[in-house]
Amino acid sequence: LQGQFQGFVYYTTLIFQNVMGYTSMQTSLAFLAHSLATIVTFTILGKILPKCRLKPFVLTGFVFRCAAALMFAFVNTKTSYWTLPFFGLIVHVIGIGTSILPAQITALKDAQNEDQGVVGALYSTGMQIGAPLGLAIVTAISENSVNAKDQAESVNMLMQSYRNGLFGVVGLGILGLVVSIFLMPNNPATPPTVHAPAPISAPESEPVEPMIA
């Protein structure tokens, strides 16, 4: 999850600056659509997810995230922001919301109240380990696919390197999709409420009349 996210953000930033020629400020403004879409998407999903099964959302999220990486993989120096980059960011937000939020709910929903802190810490640790590990994998794919001298001489060769890194991001998404299919339970976010049976009242006894001697 987090490794794919870090790889996507890393290479989209490089594409904005080194391929499309954006400054640091322009790159920040380019990601503004991503941030605003995140607020809207997470607000909507926060109301929907508790009522649904989570596994289909996670699988859909990985598909959207792979699609977003592929959209950026075909950017070039003449690409307009409002075509592939803009829609790629929006698609990525949808993928993030439908994968990370359900995964977090799945990790914590069955834990007892006294274990919530431990389970949350383990989940957070796994995400923090996955981020640099995933970024290292896609960076290795990118750097070993194109000669460093060729990268420096041509923007197209530089984009080819970034493209291979984004293909690595897609590979991480496919791996997450396969793992989720086989290992993630298909349970609702909140288990159905089990109503306790009504207590059975004892039969009323008839009053006993006192005997008169």
Side-chain angles (χ1 to χ4, degrees):
L1 286 172
Q2 196 68 8
Q4 190 187 18
F5 172 78
Q6 292 293 337
F8 177 86
V9 173
Y10 177 70
Y11 282 106
T12 51
T13 302
L14 292 179
I15 289 172
F16 279 135
Q17 295 184 347
N18 298 336
V19 177
M20 301 180 67
Y22 285 13
T23 64
S24 299
M25 180 59 69
Q26 288 174 323
T27 302
S28 301
L29 293 175
F31 276 104
L32 187 60
H34 192 274
S35 303
L36 295 177
T38 299
I39 297 174
V40 176
T41 302
F42 278 46
T43 301
I44 295 174
L45 289 174
K47 298 179 180 180
I48 295 176
L49 290 177
K51 306 174 184 178
C52 305
R53 294 185 178 273
L54 300 176
K55 186 173 182 176
F57 282 92
V58 174
L59 302 182
T60 303
F62 277 118
V63 172
F64 271 89
R65 294 170 71 176
C66 291
L70 288 175
M71 293 173 75
F72 267 92
F74 293 97
V75 169
N76 56 51
T77 55
K78 298 180 180 180
T79 302
S80 170
Y81 171 78
W82 298 106
T83 54
L84 290 176
F86 176 77
F87 289 105
L89 292 175
I90 301 301
V91 170
H92 185 253
V93 167
I94 298 174
I96 287 291
T98 52
S99 58
I100 288 185
L101 283 180
Q104 185 175 15
I105 295 173
T106 301
L108 298 175
K109 70 183 181 68
D110 292 330
Q112 300 296 326
N113 291 336
E114 60 272 16
D115 297 330
Q116 289 281 339
V118 176
V119 175
L122 290 174
Y123 176 83
S124 178
T125 301
M127 297 286 279
Q128 292 175 6
I129 293 174
L133 180 60
L135 185 58
I137 292 173
V138 297
T139 302
I141 295 173
S142 173
E143 292 184 351
N144 293 329
S145 60
V146 179
N147 185 277
K149 183 179 179 180
D150 293 336
Q151 292 183 30
E153 293 177 350
S154 171
V155 175
N156 291 330
M157 294 301 296
L158 191 64
M159 183 59 208
Q160 180 61 45
S161 173
Y162 298 161
R163 182 177 295 115
N164 292 335
L166 287 169
F167 289 157
V169 172
V170 174
L172 291 178
I174 294 174
L175 176 62
L177 182 68
V178 173
V179 171
S180 299
I181 289 174
F182 290 102
L183 298 183
M184 184 176 181
N186 189 22
N187 297 327
T190 53
T193 304
V194 179
H195 299 283
I200 301 176
S201 57
E204 296 181 0
S205 57
E206 297 181 357
V208 180
E209 296 181 359
M211 297 180 64
I212 300 176

